Amino acid sequence: MPESRPAPPPPRRTRRLAVIVLLLLAAAVATWLVFKPGGQQPQKGGRGLAGAAAGAMALPVPVRTAQAGTQNIDIVLRALGTVTAYNTVTVRSRVDGELIRVAFDEGQYIKAGDLLAQIDPRPFEVALAQAQGQQQQNQALLANARRDLQRYQTLFKQDSIARQQLDTQAALVRQYEGTQKIDQAAVDNAKLQLGYTRISAPIGGRLGLRRVDPGNLVSTGDTDGLVVITQTQPISVVFSLPETQLPEVLEQVRAGRTLTVQAYDRTDTKAIASGQLETIDNQIDVATGTVKLKARFDNADELLFPNQFVNVRLLVQTRDDATVIPTAAVQQGSAGAFVFLLRDDSTVDVRQVQLGAINGDRVAVNEGLVPGDRVVVEGTDRLRTGAKVNVVTDDTAIPATPGEALGAGSPARAGQAATKAP
């Protein structure tokens, strides 16, 4: 059998492969010449973007600091409350009749016992006269029966009448005496109904809008009533606190201390009124885990309005000589709250702190700092342990971009400023 051999490649294909290999080699050589180590090409035009970024990272970070101080700090508990009137009465008529007079103005402040309205009294005056006439008639019968009883008693002693006749007359006297009591009750009831025609204020307070006009017939079954009276002086505010805050409040209450409560508007910026904690509810709401409290306000200027929502601040106690820092200096991490503490060599260190009560823009530090320590309050987003800082003492804005110069407004200016910075 003859030996088989592969056929040689065509000449054109061989030349094409050789050209491709030469082109690849030429591209590799050109790339090496352009990007070879020590080349001068990347140095044209300055340090370059990477060099500028590295230089910016090496610059001191501008920050603003504050010093931990000592002051008395108030422990204030905040809550949302509702203004609640101590007494609210819907004035209704206790008799049926025509309303002939309204003696109040809408929104007027009245006192207990002031006349509010008048119902036509004539039907009740007639009923009273009728009851009094019936009473007088029965009084005459009673008087006559008593005189007859006295005569029968005399005749019985003379053995002129039977015992049965005397007992019958005595029973008749007792009957008329019972009728006399019924008549007196009827007279008193007629007088009471007549008195109900004058509708007076059961409590003092501010009147609402009038619901019935003169000339209308009113009855005891009217659910809307004539007007609503709401007591506004004093007034209360009911609010709720979490059950975790209840022990510190109970501790002060059981010690006999009077706790101050302030009511603020919806924006929680303007104080409306100041009062005192009056009472604490006797149980915790299991659905919400909160307990209700009631505060009392004199409300002399009537700035608190019934059913108004207010922000409540309960002053539990005042802690003397507490170490405080601005709340802006506090950062939160996986290990809890911490601050950046400024060292003497213009570097910062991460310091874990245990916080206490917050009062406005200040927060108490129970552990971790002492008065006199300086903490970073602005520029903390670029700091780490051992970072070099430049403390800014004027009103210059701290830039938010790493490497940006103070007051710079664009990345281009930030890069130039970082290049020129010492």
Side-chain angles (χ1 to χ4, degrees):
M1 180 180 291
E3 182 179 359
S4 62
R5 295 181 181 179
R12 290 184 179 179
R13 186 175 181 181
T14 304
R15 287 196 300 269
R16 187 179 299 174
L17 292 176
V19 171
I20 293 175
V21 172
L22 291 176
L23 290 176
L24 293 177
L25 291 176
V29 172
T31 302
W32 179 82
L33 290 176
V34 173
F35 298 99
K36 64 180 179 177
Q40 299 300 324
Q41 183 65 23
Q43 297 300 326
K44 294 180 181 180
R47 298 170 59 183
L49 183 59
M57 294 301 294
L59 291 175
V61 179
V63 296
R64 187 171 283 113
T65 62
Q67 187 174 5
T70 302
Q71 71 177 46
N72 297 338
I73 188 168
D74 296 332
I75 299 179
V76 179
L77 304 181
R78 298 171 181 262
L80 182 64
T82 304
V83 180
T84 305
Y86 278 100
N87 296 291
T88 300
V89 176
T90 299
V91 180
R92 298 184 177 91
S93 175
R94 303 181 70 173
V95 293
D96 299 341
E98 179 185 356
L99 183 65
I100 61 175
R101 180 189 175 193
V102 174
F104 65 87
D105 295 328
E106 296 175 329
Q108 176 184 354
Y109 188 85
I110 61 171
K111 298 179 180 179
D114 290 348
L115 178 65
L116 297 179
Q118 176 72 54
I119 296 177
D120 187 5
R122 291 174 297 178
F124 302 95
E125 291 173 349
V126 172
L128 175 61
Q130 182 179 1
Q132 290 174 340
Q134 183 69 34
Q135 183 184 36
Q136 291 177 358
Q137 179 182 358
N138 292 329
Q139 284 177 347
L141 295 175
L142 175 61
N144 183 62
R146 285 176 175 173
R147 287 192 296 269
D148 289 343
L149 178 61
Q150 291 178 355
R151 286 193 293 268
Y152 287 168
Q153 289 175 346
T154 302
L155 293 175
F156 179 76
K157 292 179 181 179
Q158 296 174 358
D159 199 17
S160 299
I161 60 174
R163 177 73 183 181
Q164 181 180 3
Q165 188 175 0
L166 177 62
D167 294 340
T168 301
Q169 187 63 31
L172 182 61
V173 170
R174 289 193 297 272
Q175 178 182 348
Y176 285 146
E177 288 176 348
T179 304
Q180 176 63 25
K181 290 184 179 180
I182 296 175
D183 293 340
Q184 183 62 45
V187 171
D188 294 340
N189 181 65
K191 289 181 179 179
L192 184 62
Q193 299 299 315
L194 179 61
Y196 286 156
T197 60
R198 290 177 54 88
I199 303 176
S200 302
I203 63 171
R206 185 164 297 281
L207 295 174
L209 301 179
R210 186 178 64 197
R211 300 181 178 180
V212 179
D213 298 326
N216 287 280
L217 294 177
V218 295
S219 65
T220 57
D222 295 337
T223 57
D224 292 339
L226 305 179
V227 70
V228 176
I229 306 176
T230 303
Q231 181 180 348
T232 58
Q233 295 177 347
I235 205 166
S236 65
V237 173
V238 178
F239 59 98
S240 299
L241 290 177
E243 58 180 325
T244 55
Q245 298 177 348
L246 181 60
E248 52 186 331
V249 178
L250 287 177
E251 179 182 358
Q252 301 299 320
V253 172
R254 290 170 178 171
R257 299 183 180 91
T258 301
L259 303 185
T260 302
V261 181
Q262 286 187 318
Y264 280 72
D265 60 1
R266 276 184 173 270
T267 61
D268 202 15
T269 57
K270 180 181 178 182
I272 301 177
S274 180
Q276 298 177 347
L277 182 65
E278 185 176 40
T279 185
I280 303 175
D281 200 1
N282 60 353
Q283 59 183 351
I284 295 174
D285 188 348
V286 296
T288 61
T290 60
V291 61
K292 290 183 178 179
L293 298 90
K294 178 185 286 188
R296 180 186 180 92
F297 294 82
D298 293 335
N299 200 28
D301 48 8
E302 294 191 359
L303 293 179
L304 294 177
F305 208 77
N307 297 332
Q308 175 185 2
F309 288 99
V310 295
N311 289 285
V312 178
R313 300 183 185 181
L314 173 62
L315 177 60
V316 179
Q317 68 177 110
T318 300
R319 184 175 299 173
D320 299 331
D321 300 331
T323 302
V324 296
I325 59 174
T327 54
V330 180
Q331 308 296 317
Q332 295 292 336
S334 59
F338 67 93
V339 296
F340 288 102
L341 180 65
L342 180 64
R343 298 174 180 171
D344 296 336
D345 57 354
S346 296
T347 60
V348 293
D349 186 20
V350 175
R351 178 69 60 84
Q352 299 290 333
V353 292
Q354 182 179 350
L355 303 179
I358 299 176
N359 188 4
D361 61 346
R362 296 278 172 172
V363 58
V365 180
N366 297 333
E367 294 181 4
L369 294 177
V370 295
D373 290 342
R374 300 195 66 84
V375 294
V376 178
V377 296
E378 191 174 349
T380 57
D381 54 337
R382 291 167 290 165
L383 296 181
R384 63 181 184 277
T385 302
K388 193 75 173 179
V389 298
N390 178 24
V391 179
V392 177
T393 57
D394 55 13
D395 296 333
T396 304
I398 303 278
T401 304
E404 184 178 348
L406 297 180
S410 64
R413 294 181 57 187
Q416 297 174 3
T419 304
K420 297 177 181 180

